[in-house]
Structure formats: structure tokens, C-alpha cells
Amino acid sequence: MNHKTFEMHLEAALHRSTDIPADQTPGPDLINSRNQGHMDAVIWELKKEVVKKRSRKRIGFSDFLLLQIKMTGWKIWLLQGMMFLGFVFLITAILGPYIWLDHRYTTKLLCYFSILISMTALPFLHRSVHYKMQEVEAATRFSSMRLLLAKMLLLGIGDVFLLNMVLITAALRTSIYTGSLVLYLLFPFLLANGGALFLIGHLNAGHFLQGSLAFYTLLITLVTVVRYFSPAFFQQTLSSGWLAACAGMTVFCIWQLRYIIYRSSYSEMQLN
Amino acid sequence: MELYVNNVSKQFKDKRAVDHVTLNITPGVWGLLGANGAGKTTLMRMIAGIMKPTSGRIEYDGIPIDRLKDEYRDIFGYLPQEFGFYPEFTVKNYLEYVSALKGLTAKESRRRISDLLEQLTLTNVCNKKIAKLSGGMKRRVGIAQALLNDPEVLILDEPTSGLDPAERVRFRNLLSEFARDHIVLISTHIVPDVEYIATRNAVMKDGRLISTGTTEELVKLVDGKVWSAMIPTKYLPEYEQKLRIVNLRNEGDDQVSIRYLSERPRTEDSVPAVPRLEDLYLWLFPQDTLEREG
């Protein structure tokens, strides 16, 4: 950074601290009239600029994300794909190949699929703790939080791809109304993700994996129980009520994500 | 350049791990000594900014580190006590991964990795999987990642654990050279590792800072409390019960020379010994003496 740029940054910092319009220069009487707390804020802002001046050039979040795609993104997508295929083979092995042509099971399978697609995130969310990388990662510029966001973005790309693949396949192979197909993919997926996000923000690292597995098991059990005791549940369409439910779950997911970023002690919980 | 730990405490559910610690850390090598459970790792995690204090604050050059955020992360390097690697990483992959996390540009990352591989004699193994390296080499890789961003402050938690004597000497020399214009904070209970290079030391016990000073100043605390004597080998078990023996050596002719800690001489032929930092450590943490004997 050259001196002129540094001077501009210092002036900007001073204006930020004193709420003085950018086109005015603060006089000594104005500064003296502030209380000590305000003076401390001014001094801190100026000192921060001095430290920043010593900083070296660093990459932004988008470059960091591209690097994560190169280093870990392809592994995440590969594993998501393999887990998904594994589930397809398992279902075929247990229920036979004609299960995919039986329309009575389509909406139920979509529910299971969407929960399992959400579950593919678990190995990657727990990996840092499992391999004891979390402390090194936490102490870096991008830290645990932004690394988590990068992982979630990468996982989200994989999830969207898989969900769309399943939706297109189901739409082409069945005569079930597309709205219903969307409902039985989207709602369980949002429910599963909402629960997982809640657990990320509230469980420490030592309990996250067990807690998440218990949660997903509960969800799959719930779908199975509803399947047997209330089969009419799987004959719904994407009505305004269900749209509102999906919107509510989306809001819940966003709320949990904001909680993780701004209020949770996520980084510290990874150390326990 | 100055790190100021201002009356910092950390309360966990069942324990106060750090209890009102105040410390002014200036350039040079600082040894942070204490037994297991003294609070060293918790304090280091707070200084590294990965754990928030329950009360108090930590300032770098007068600015609270939670206000500095990314700028603080840019100027420090951290080696935790326990660290691992993703199994698919080679040495180079790992350093590239951490470089990305530290926000280094591609050019700077390549330059720093190349320099550090050479400095830490890891060039020959740079394409080898980390899981297949010896303990000492893994530790060197850990040190390399801490130095990637050319930090002004280096925080190392038990860095020499698992290193052989030659590697420990090499490591000490590396740190001494680095610490000329930098702050280096090493936590350890291998006292000789800091005795020769630390400009100042801080001693922690039960979460509190009980003493700070140069090695010479701290060693004076046990002046007159360290003794050496020769005893017949057959009486050794009896003396081991009565005395805090910190070192013993078989001298032959059924005689053993012992070095022990006591307020006053406990055998007729005891002579005062020149105290060392390790004696102070064992005087303050007698539990460690029992563990060593065990």
C-alpha cells in the first residue's frame, strides 16, 4: 500500500469513528467534545488501519471457494454420487428391480431419497474433527466458519444436482403430477436440512455425528411409520398449504444458518 | 509489536481453566510452562483467537484481537498440541490446502511452500503421504504450516513432543533465529526445550499465572532448594520414599548420586547444586515428579 492510499484509509477510519461527513475535516474542538469511549473508538480504528497496512495481499472468498472446489469439491460430489448410487442398488436388491416402475412407491421413495441426499453431507461436516484438522483450520484467515460455508455451498451444488436428476427421472418414468414429485423431494429435504443445521449450531463436535445420525434415523423411521399408518399422506399435491410449509421450512433453514454464522460458538464447539 | 493478555479468564461448565491471567508478551521467545491441566492450551487457544475468553481481553498492539479479525489471523501462526491430516494429503497438498485457508495468493503460496520445504528439510518427502512419515517429520510439517503466512506471532503448543534430540536442537535453532523480530510463545512441559532459548518464561498452575521472568530470575526461586548427594544403592528405595529425587545416576561401587529438592539438606554429605529451570518446574509441580518415577 502506498502512502497516499494509506492516508485515504486513515481519513476514512477517522470519519467512520467520528460520524463527520466525508467532505468536512474534524476540528480539535469537535474531537475534544466527544467522550473518552468515542476517543478510544477513534484510536482503535486508526490503529487497525496501521495493522492493516502491514498486511499482505490476500485472496477473497470467491477465489477461496474455487480453490476448495479444486481441492475438496470434486471429492464431495463424487462421494455424494456414490452414496446415492449405493442407495439405489440397495433398494433394488431388497425390493427388486420392478420397484422403480411401481407408481405406488414413487412418492415414498422420493421422500427417502431426499433425506439420504441430505445425509451425504455428514461425512464432510465431521471430517475436520475426525482427522483432527479443526484447530489448524480454525486458526486461519478463512477459519472454521467460512470453511463451513464453503463446504455447505459445495454440498448444496451436489444436492441440487441430485435432486433435479431424481425429479427429472421420476417425471419421465411416471405419470405422477410434477407438483407432487417436487413436494415429496423438497419438503423432506428441507426438513432434514433444517434439523441438521440446528444440530450444527447447537451440538459440540464430540456429539454432532451421533446426534445427526440419530436425527436422520428418526426421520427415516417417521417416513416409514407414516407410510404404513397413513398411506394417504403420499398422495398429496403441491397445494398452497404445502407451499407455505415448504416456505416455512426454508425460512427455518435460513434462520439456523444465520444463527450459526452470527450467534453460535461453532468454532469453539469444534474444539470440544 | 506487543500482545497484551489483560485479566483473561475462561470458565467451562465444570472448571475454571484460566483464572485472571495478565501477561505482556513482547518480541522474543516466551516459554509457557505448566503441568498437564494447568491451562496452557486454553490460554494459547484464546491468544490464537479460536476460543473466546469468558472475561478479559487480548490486545495486539493495543487493539482487541476480536476487532482485528482477519488482520490478526494474517499475522499469527499456530501449531496446536494435537493436530492431524486428511489421509489423502501429501506434504505439498497439505501445505497448499492450509495456504488457501490462510488466504495466500497462488504465487506467494508456491514461494513460501518451496522456502519452507527447504528450511525444514522436507523437500525429499514433499510428494509423500503425510500418514507415512515419521512422528518427527509430521511435526515439522505442522511447524511448516504455522510459518506459511510469515507470521509476526508464532504460537506453538507442545511443539517438540515426539521429536528426537537432534530434531529438537534443530527446532530450537530455527526458533531462536525466527524470534529476533517476532513473538514466539511456546508451551511445553519439556523444560530443557525452552531453557536455552526462552528470553522470558511464564509459569501456570491451576489456571493461574504464578510467576514470570527470565530463566535466571525464575531459577532463583529454587536457589538453596536443590541438593546433590551420594548414597549407597541399597538405601535408594528408602530415600525415594523420603525425598523428591529429580535425577539419579549409578556411579558404580554400590553408590548412586542423587539430585533432590528440599528446603534443607536431608543427608550428611548433601551439597547445594546449581538450580535449573527443570528443578523449578518439579518444585512447583511435584505431581510430575511422581509421574516420572512411575
Side-chain angles (χ1 to χ4, degrees):
Chain A
M1 192 190 295
N2 61 32
H3 287 301
K4 199 164 167 60
T5 312
F6 180 49
E7 211 176 287
M8 278 167 52
H9 280 233
L10 277 177
E11 206 174 313
L14 188 60
H15 283 295
R16 269 200 306 274
S17 318
T18 57
D19 303 323
I20 294 165
D23 56 350
Q24 287 181 27
T25 307
D29 54 335
L30 188 63
I31 293 172
N32 286 339
S33 69
R34 304 287 184 184
N35 60 28
Q36 187 57 41
H38 211 126
M39 278 309 296
D40 286 343
V42 171
I43 292 165
W44 283 348
E45 285 292 332
L46 294 174
K47 280 184 173 178
K48 195 171 161 181
E49 289 304 321
V50 171
V51 173
K52 260 165 119 170
K53 183 174 189 284
R54 302 207 295 250
S55 297
R56 298 149 191 111
K57 191 172 174 216
R58 293 290 181 248
I59 60 175
F61 185 73
S62 51
D63 289 326
F64 170 68
L65 190 61
L66 285 169
L67 283 168
Q68 287 304 305
I69 290 173
K70 186 183 153 199
M71 289 183 201
T72 57
W74 64 272
K75 292 175 201 168
I76 289 174
W77 296 328
L78 187 65
L79 185 69
Q80 280 184 304
M82 281 167 58
M83 282 176 76
F84 179 74
L85 285 172
F87 175 64
V88 168
F89 285 131
L90 189 66
I91 290 289
T92 309
I94 295 171
L95 298 173
Y98 297 106
I99 192 73
W100 308 108
L101 301 173
D102 192 337
H103 296 180
R104 292 173 300 164
Y105 293 100
T106 303
T107 50
K108 298 165 186 102
L109 284 171
L110 290 179
C111 280
Y112 288 123
F113 267 133
S114 61
I115 294 168
L116 277 151
I117 286 168
S118 173
M119 259 184 98
T120 58
L122 286 185
F124 292 97
L125 295 176
H126 187 68
R127 211 167 184 243
S128 296
V129 171
H130 181 73
Y131 290 110
K132 295 189 181 167
M133 283 283 296
Q134 77 277 32
E135 221 165 329
V136 166
E137 288 169 350
T140 59
R141 183 182 176 87
F142 284 107
S143 79
S144 308
M145 183 55 65
R146 278 179 279 185
L147 183 59
L148 175 68
L149 290 175
K151 280 183 191 172
M152 282 184 180
L153 273 166
L154 296 173
L155 286 161
I157 292 169
D159 290 344
V160 165
F161 178 75
L162 284 172
L163 287 170
N164 276 295
M165 285 269 294
V166 171
L167 176 66
I168 292 167
T169 307
L172 287 174
R173 284 175 173 266
T174 71
S175 55
I176 297 172
Y177 171 52
T178 309
S180 298
L181 298 176
V182 169
L183 170 64
Y184 291 110
L185 273 175
L186 188 61
F187 186 75
F189 181 75
L190 288 171
L191 191 63
N193 271 13
L197 285 168
F198 178 83
L199 293 174
I200 290 170
H202 293 87
L203 284 185
N204 65 34
H207 297 120
F208 172 71
L209 191 62
Q210 299 98 307
S212 305
L213 286 171
F215 168 70
Y216 280 108
T217 306
L218 185 70
L219 215 52
I220 290 171
T221 308
L222 188 68
V223 170
T224 310
V225 163
V226 168
R227 195 184 122 205
Y228 280 113
F229 292 102
S230 184
F233 179 83
F234 293 97
Q235 289 156 17
Q236 307 287 308
T237 55
L238 193 57
S239 60
S240 49
W242 279 112
L243 265 173
C246 289
M249 279 313 307
T250 306
V251 165
F252 179 76
C253 289
I254 294 169
W255 175 33
Q256 288 306 305
L257 193 58
R258 283 181 62 84
Y259 175 80
I260 292 166
I261 295 167
Y262 296 114
R263 293 184 51 209
S264 79
S265 50
Y266 171 77
S267 294
E268 205 164 309
M269 288 195 297
Q270 300 308 295
L271 303 173
N272 298 322
Chain B
M1 189 198 310
E2 184 186 85
L3 256 179
Y4 184 44
V5 179
N6 186 358
N7 200 25
V8 154
S9 294
K10 181 68 179 176
Q11 178 74 45
F12 293 114
K13 271 188 207 142
D14 53 348
K15 187 184 167 177
R16 178 161 279 220
V18 173
D19 193 357
H20 296 98
V21 166
T22 294
L23 191 58
N24 195 13
I25 307 172
T26 47
V29 179
W30 279 75
L32 183 62
L33 304 171
N36 291 330
K40 306 189 299 293
T41 294
T42 305
L43 180 62
M44 289 196 131
R45 282 172 172 175
M46 289 192 286
I47 293 172
I50 61 175
M51 198 176 255
K52 281 203 175 80
T54 310
S55 62
R57 69 180 184 210
I58 296 166
E59 294 172 6
Y60 177 74
D61 281 350
I63 311 167
I65 61 172
D66 52 355
R67 282 179 79 105
L68 279 173
K69 292 182 188 164
D70 288 352
E71 282 73 34
Y72 183 62
R73 296 281 167 91
D74 274 345
I75 57 96
F76 86 78
Y78 176 54
L79 176 64
Q81 184 175 359
E82 279 184 41
F83 64 98
F85 310 92
Y86 296 128
E88 69 273 17
F89 276 158
T90 61
V91 172
K92 205 154 165 244
N93 291 154
Y94 174 74
L95 293 176
E96 284 166 352
Y97 176 76
V98 178
S99 290
L101 285 171
K102 291 192 174 203
L104 272 62
T105 60
K107 190 177 167 191
E108 196 184 348
S109 170
R110 275 193 299 272
R111 184 184 65 82
R112 285 299 294 158
I113 291 172
S114 169
D115 289 346
L116 286 167
L117 287 174
E118 200 180 310
Q119 217 174 342
L120 292 160
T121 51
L122 291 167
T123 314
N124 291 343
V125 296
C126 69
N127 291 318
K128 216 171 166 186
K129 288 238 166 74
I130 298 175
K132 295 195 170 153
L133 299 180
S134 66
M137 278 196 157
K138 283 180 187 170
R139 189 62 56 166
R140 270 191 267 154
V141 175
I143 292 162
Q145 68 76 26
L147 294 170
L148 271 170
N149 54 324
D150 200 9
E152 291 178 11
V153 177
L154 193 57
I155 302 166
L156 308 168
D157 198 349
E158 306 281 357
T160 55
S161 141
L163 299 185
D164 65 39
E167 282 171 332
R168 288 191 5 220
V169 168
R170 203 181 312 137
F171 171 75
R172 287 204 298 256
N173 294 342
L174 176 75
L175 280 191
S176 286
E177 202 182 310
F178 178 83
R180 243 179 272 146
D181 305 311
H182 299 83
I183 289 172
V184 178
L185 179 64
I186 308 175
S187 104
T188 185
H189 54 257
I190 306 174
V191 180
D193 284 340
V194 291
E195 190 163 15
Y196 302 114
I197 59 167
T199 41
R200 291 189 75 81
N201 299 282
V203 186
M204 282 188 79
K205 187 176 183 179
D206 296 328
R208 287 176 173 261
L209 208 59
I210 56 172
S211 205
T212 58
T214 62
T215 301
E216 293 74 28
E217 286 165 357
L218 290 179
V219 155
K220 280 192 185 138
L221 297 174
V222 280
D223 209 11
K225 297 184 174 72
V226 186
W227 306 92
S228 62
M230 291 281 271
I231 58 167
T233 311
K234 62 182 178 182
Y235 293 129
L236 182 59
E238 185 191 323
Y239 278 103
E240 276 177 335
Q241 294 294 315
K242 287 194 304 191
L243 303 178
R244 272 162 64 182
I245 296 174
V246 298
N247 195 48
L248 57 86
R249 193 172 60 207
N250 201 331
E251 300 288 358
D253 289 331
D254 292 327
Q255 293 282 309
V256 172
S257 77
I258 60 171
R259 183 184 174 91
Y260 67 93
L261 304 175
S262 177
E263 292 279 6
R264 52 182 174 77
R266 302 289 290 274
T267 68
E268 278 179 13
D269 64 337
S270 291
V271 292
V274 176
R276 299 192 296 253
L277 198 58
E278 192 170 42
D279 298 319
L280 170 74
Y281 181 90
L282 294 169
W283 177 260
L284 292 170
F285 308 110
Q287 183 61 30
D288 257 24
T289 318
L290 294 172
E291 282 168 3
R292 282 163 196 243
E293 287 168 4

